[in-house]
Amino acid sequence: MVQRWRDVARASGLASPDGSARPTIFAEMTALAQRTGAANLGQGFPDSDGPAWVRDIAAAAIRNGVNQYPPGRGTPELRHAIAAHQLRHYGIELDPEREVLVTAGATEAIAAAVLALAGPGDEVVTLEPFYDSHAAAIAMAGATHVTVPLTPDPDGFRLDTAALDTAVSPRTSIIIVNTPHNPTGTVLSSRELQLIAAAAQRANALIITDEVYEHLTFDGVAHTPIATLPGMAARTLTVSSAGKTFSLTGWKIGWITGPAELIEAVTAIKQFLTYSGGAPFQPAIARALIDGDADIAALRDSLSTRRDLLAAGLRNAGFDLIMPAGTYFVCADARPFLSDGDDGAAFARALPERVGVAAVPVSAFCREASTASQALAPWVRFTFVKDERTLRTAVERLRGLERTRGAVQR
Ligand code: GLN
């Protein structure tokens, strides 16, 4: 048993090679920030809570006896609200009874879908960098993880289209499409989505998405669910959640939608992961999805301002960066500040002591020694989903960062 776990741990990075649980990079950096009093621009969670009126609905639900197991698929009210949201924003038509499943956040939705639909011998393709839980889900399913780099260029982190053609093959059972993308902030363009769709069709692969930042895009950039591309609804499971949209990340209300047959398979797994959860939160999120557009717009505007503040501050301090079109995050190239032999991981681990700011190395979202991890080794991710005071403090402190001697002046 333990040997099997160690093999999995080694192969997947789910744990340390000796089998001990390893905190995620986010937990590690938050702990480090707390220990050192650093401004925490590492873990991406808002430091102010979502709309009071939404929280009031949940509080009233707790007081009024909505405290036992909700239906395994989610309350009918929430499933209808999710279907209505998909129709109103994207024109996607869903049967709330058979094509919508409520989950414990997007993380559970993706894990359940991968466990249901991939196993040993199957390849699951993701972009690289990738969100840590996607790799963990693939490892837990015993499938093989194959990646397609997002490459930094003047237009942003863009899909390596040649690598896509090589990565997706008849062995591919699933392509996980995360857009808006964590950690890069890339919103995939329609051309990139079309290429991924065509690759999925050629390989007869399914798509599982991660669209949790669907509403958090900037400069008028629009998010397009890949399920809306011609022919794609039949092979796509669309995943999102309320956490980022309504600044309620601890509520863990997510959902997965798509063809009834696939949702049935995901439900079979999901019922033995958490069974169900979040009873008092479900009516609150149902209302938020219907009546929360003004709150979403306000969050998007304020986030866009905070993105600009942090990006300007980082540039001022001497970082090169790629402006994100969405999400909570901006990635910056730390090369001017690296000592000989150091990479972004060493930089991020030292930064709280050095100037009192915490960040996350982009290599934490990469596989060891991959093409992407080599290209992105000096990059670090900062979050701007913090109040302006924290951002200003961080920016002020980063200005005190001294360039290393060997650093190339740019
Ligand atoms: N999604 C958050 C981030 O990318 C982290 C969530 C977590 O800590 N697992 O920072």
Side-chain angles (χ1 to χ4, degrees):
M1 279 302 276
V2 171
Q3 191 48 48
R4 157 103 178 108
W5 167 236
R6 285 187 186 144
D7 291 346
V8 171
R10 225 185 330 270
S12 63
L14 279 174
S16 311
D18 69 358
S20 61
R22 186 169 61 197
T24 69
I25 187 71
F26 312 113
E28 181 190 338
M29 289 303 164
T30 289
L32 186 57
Q34 281 165 355
R35 216 161 46 237
T36 56
N40 187 3
L41 307 193
Q43 194 174 25
F45 64 91
D47 51 10
S48 59
D49 289 336
W53 68 269
V54 179
R55 288 183 281 133
D56 286 344
I57 297 172
I62 290 174
R63 279 194 301 272
N64 295 332
V66 186
N67 298 299
Q68 309 309 325
Y69 300 127
R73 288 170 195 261
T75 64
E77 183 193 13
L78 178 54
R79 281 184 275 124
H80 277 84
I82 292 164
H85 171 276
Q86 294 304 95
L87 182 63
R88 187 158 60 86
H89 288 280
Y90 308 118
I92 297 174
E93 285 187 49
L94 294 165
D95 172 356
E97 308 304 327
R98 301 164 63 235
E99 296 179 324
V100 179
L101 172 66
V102 176
T103 56
T107 303
E108 188 196 35
I110 292 165
V114 172
L115 287 167
L117 301 166
D122 291 326
E123 293 184 358
V124 179
V125 172
T126 70
L127 306 173
E128 186 175 6
F130 48 79
Y131 187 59
D132 62 349
S133 86
H134 301 172
I138 296 165
M140 288 189 282
T144 303
H145 187 182
V146 173
T147 67
V148 179
L150 285 177
T151 311
D153 79 22
D155 267 354
F157 290 90
R158 305 286 21 143
L159 185 74
D160 179 336
T161 54
L164 175 73
D165 285 339
T166 320
V168 179
S169 78
R171 290 184 301 279
T172 307
S173 59
I174 297 169
I175 306 175
I176 299 181
V177 181
N178 171 209
T179 184
H181 181 258
N182 182 2
T184 62
T186 292
V187 177
L188 292 175
S189 68
S190 32
R191 180 167 172 275
E192 286 166 329
L193 289 173
Q194 278 162 19
L195 290 171
I196 295 170
Q201 278 163 333
R202 272 199 306 277
N204 196 23
L206 297 172
I207 303 258
I208 298 172
T209 73
D210 178 346
E211 308 182 20
V212 299
Y213 297 99
E214 61 187 323
H215 293 294
L216 306 182
T217 62
F218 315 120
D219 308 325
V221 172
H223 162 69
T224 306
I226 197 166
T228 62
L229 270 58
M232 291 308 287
R235 60 173 75 247
T236 301
L237 284 165
T238 299
V239 173
S240 193
S241 84
K244 312 301 188 292
T245 301
F246 296 107
S247 303
L248 297 165
T249 61
W251 285 17
K252 299 297 290 180
I253 299 295
W255 49 84
I256 180 163
T257 62
E261 211 188 343
L262 296 178
I263 290 298
E264 207 53 34
V266 180
T267 304
I269 300 293
K270 184 263 180 315
Q271 66 188 344
F272 295 120
L273 294 176
T274 55
Y275 176 53
S276 71
F281 305 125
Q282 294 199 24
I285 297 302
R287 278 280 303 285
L289 287 174
I290 292 165
D291 293 330
D293 283 5
D295 300 278
I296 298 175
L299 174 62
R300 186 194 296 121
D301 287 351
S302 107
L303 259 185
S304 162
T305 306
R306 289 180 276 165
R307 173 198 67 162
D308 292 349
L309 195 168
L310 178 60
L314 287 169
R315 284 194 169 121
N316 222 321
F319 288 91
D320 229 356
L321 58 81
I322 289 178
M323 202 63 167
T327 75
Y328 284 170
F329 309 109
V330 54
C331 290
D333 183 344
R335 250 173 299 185
F337 309 106
L338 299 184
S339 317
D340 279 352
D342 269 4
D343 56 10
F347 175 81
R349 290 206 164 85
L351 197 60
E353 296 280 6
R354 206 164 148 188
V355 289
V357 176
V360 173
V362 173
S363 58
F365 303 82
C366 295
R367 298 196 305 177
E368 242 173 84
S370 67
T371 312
S373 84
Q374 281 161 17
L376 299 173
W379 288 74
V380 286
R381 187 196 81 172
F382 296 88
T383 181
F384 45 87
V385 72
K386 304 293 165 183
D387 64 41
E388 290 198 15
R389 238 187 71 212
T390 304
L391 293 174
R392 282 184 209 285
T393 302
V395 157
E396 197 46 50
R397 291 177 179 178
L398 287 166
R399 269 165 57 101
L401 252 188
E402 292 202 18
R403 284 167 188 269
T404 45
R405 248 187 330 214
V408 195
Q409 203 69 33
R410 278 182 284 186

